[in-house]
Amino acid sequence: MLEVRDQGALDQMSPALEKMAEKTVSRLFGQVPDKDLVKLGVDADLIPLVRLPTGESHLQAMERLLPEPQYIALVALAQGMNVQQAWDEVAQCLPAEEKPAAVDPDDLVAAMRRTPGEVAFVSGPEELRDILAHPFDTWRIFLHPRQRRVALRPSYSGPAQVTGGAGTGKTVTALHRAKFLAMWDARVLLTTFTKNLSQALEKQLALLVEDEAVRARINVQTVDAITSGIVGRHRKPGIAGTEVLEPLWEDAAEGTPFSPAFLSREWEQIVLAQALESERDYLACTRAGRGVPLGKAQRSVVWKAIRQVVDPGWGCRTPAPWRCSPACRARQARSSFAVRRLGRAPRRRRDRGL
């Protein structure tokens, strides 16, 4: 495949990432070996830069600068997937053709043919004239007959999933589906995980949907924006940033075999995601997608470390709080502040007989 990256912009970003990385020992990919990164297709000369991010916001800043398959691999790892699961995500970007018997790294034309999302080949001057006869923006919303059958199908019996490699038209199919539903007076929510893609979808919808009433029924938002808006209906959400959380996770990780980043993601992706309220719940839960298996003894250590962050005063054995050490009081103060801003895991209602 042909991959392009913005090396100039990456070089400019590197000093800022290095400066931020000096403030903490936690790294986003600290537990991922170099060989696994290379196995997933990350360029070897990019690995020193990949080692610098301390949070997912740093990775998101690289989205437009890295080749799509490499960015997807890093996002999958950052979300807690193991190497095989990350590769399954990357494989969706690869061409569907059979693997060639031999790959010539100097054969640029062959690489371009295996990258349909970036390069278009024409069979002759007539096909080229047809392409040039239409504005570029028109091609960004063009719907192939196979895509049309998916996008304009009257209804589905349940949730539908569309998969395909890079450049196969998944996004434009979703846009046409949104327009199709909105034309029938349905309110449509089109979500994505990044602001950049959300803005790109807005621009493409402006080209595709001319009727303002139809366009008004399509809401394009990131998942984060949706959740923040829902919470904001009741109270203004306070967001605890990395400057609050990182010291807490570093304190919690001290004396354990786990990194601050691992504990933080375990809390977000397992404890909060499953609304786990007790150590017993955590010991019995499934951890699919986290990559690192944990035995019961290890889970107990992780649970106690997480409690240290989200439950102020937990683990303090001093009967009189005013006799705590300054370090203990400082930790409790930081944890109290973080909990006020983060909130508790929602309580589950256990319905019987369903």
Side-chain angles (χ1 to χ4, degrees):
M1 290 182 63
L2 180 67
E3 293 187 332
V4 180
R5 71 180 191 230
D6 192 337
Q7 188 61 49
L10 290 171
D11 289 341
Q12 292 178 356
M13 180 184 295
S14 182
L17 290 177
E18 290 175 355
K19 187 174 181 180
M20 287 184 283
E22 292 174 355
K23 300 178 181 178
T24 175
V25 297
S26 174
R27 297 289 186 277
L28 192 58
F29 303 108
Q31 294 183 318
V32 183
D34 288 356
K35 64 178 182 179
D36 287 342
L37 292 172
V38 173
K39 181 180 179 180
L40 290 171
V42 178
D43 294 331
D45 55 346
L46 277 180
I47 290 179
L49 179 65
V50 169
R51 292 293 182 198
L52 295 176
T54 60
E56 293 187 20
S57 60
H58 299 163
L59 177 60
Q60 291 173 2
M62 300 182 186
E63 180 180 4
R64 297 280 184 173
L65 312 180
L66 296 175
E68 184 181 25
Q70 296 188 40
Y71 178 74
I72 289 175
L74 294 174
V75 169
L77 292 173
Q79 291 176 348
M81 296 185 188
N82 59 33
V83 176
Q84 183 57 51
Q85 291 168 328
W87 174 252
D88 291 341
E89 295 293 318
V90 174
Q92 297 184 31
C93 297
L94 304 180
E97 64 185 39
E98 294 184 5
K99 182 179 179 180
V103 176
D104 181 0
D106 295 323
D107 190 345
L108 181 61
V109 174
M112 293 166 67
R113 289 189 181 279
R114 288 194 291 267
T115 316
E118 301 290 338
V119 182
F121 284 85
V122 296
S123 57
E126 292 185 2
E127 188 175 355
L128 178 61
R129 277 196 298 270
D130 289 342
I131 291 177
L132 297 179
H134 298 278
F136 176 71
D137 283 342
T138 302
W139 288 102
R140 294 173 61 188
I141 56 174
F142 171 75
L143 203 60
H144 186 274
R146 289 183 62 187
Q147 298 167 333
R148 183 177 296 275
R149 288 195 293 271
V150 174
L152 306 186
R153 179 172 170 170
S155 65
Y156 288 86
S157 59
Q161 181 182 24
V162 177
T163 61
T168 54
K170 300 183 297 297
T171 299
V172 73
T173 301
L175 291 170
H176 279 270
R177 183 65 181 171
K179 175 187 176 182
F180 174 79
L181 295 174
M183 289 176 64
W184 292 90
D185 294 334
R187 294 179 62 191
V188 181
L189 176 61
L190 188 58
T191 64
T192 180
F193 286 100
T194 66
K195 291 182 179 179
N196 289 338
L197 183 54
S198 177
Q199 293 168 356
L201 292 174
E202 291 274 12
K203 292 179 181 178
Q204 287 177 273
L205 277 173
L207 296 171
L208 178 63
V209 183
E210 297 180 356
D211 189 324
E212 293 184 3
V214 173
R215 176 64 188 87
R217 289 193 285 271
I218 304 175
N219 183 14
V220 181
Q221 282 189 293
T222 64
V223 174
D224 287 349
I226 294 169
T227 53
S228 179
I230 293 173
V231 174
R233 294 174 188 171
H234 308 284
R235 62 181 177 85
K236 184 178 180 181
I239 307 299
T242 55
E243 73 284 353
V244 175
L245 293 175
E246 283 185 355
L248 292 173
W249 290 118
E250 288 172 4
D251 288 347
E254 188 174 351
T256 76
F258 305 104
S259 71
F262 177 87
L263 294 176
S264 173
R265 292 193 199 98
E266 189 76 3
W267 175 60
E268 293 174 350
Q269 299 175 14
I270 303 298
V271 177
L272 284 183
Q274 299 184 38
L276 305 178
E277 298 178 350
S278 68
E279 183 174 355
R280 181 179 178 180
D281 290 341
Y282 179 61
L283 293 177
C285 77
T286 59
R287 300 178 59 258
R290 286 292 286 139
V292 180
L294 298 178
K296 286 191 174 182
Q298 293 171 306
R299 290 196 187 199
S300 183
V301 172
V302 170
W303 179 259
K304 289 178 174 62
I306 291 175
R307 282 285 302 274
Q308 182 176 320
V309 173
V310 301
D311 191 353
W314 183 86
C316 177
R317 295 179 174 83
T318 305
W322 57 88
R323 294 180 181 174
C324 288
S325 67
C328 180
R329 289 198 299 271
R331 178 179 63 77
Q332 291 185 42
R334 291 198 303 268
S335 185
S336 297
F337 175 73
V339 169
R340 286 198 305 271
R341 305 198 113 206
L342 292 170
R344 299 286 187 179
R347 293 188 175 274
R348 288 178 295 179
R349 185 180 68 183
R350 299 181 184 273
D351 293 326
R352 303 295 184 182
L354 297 180

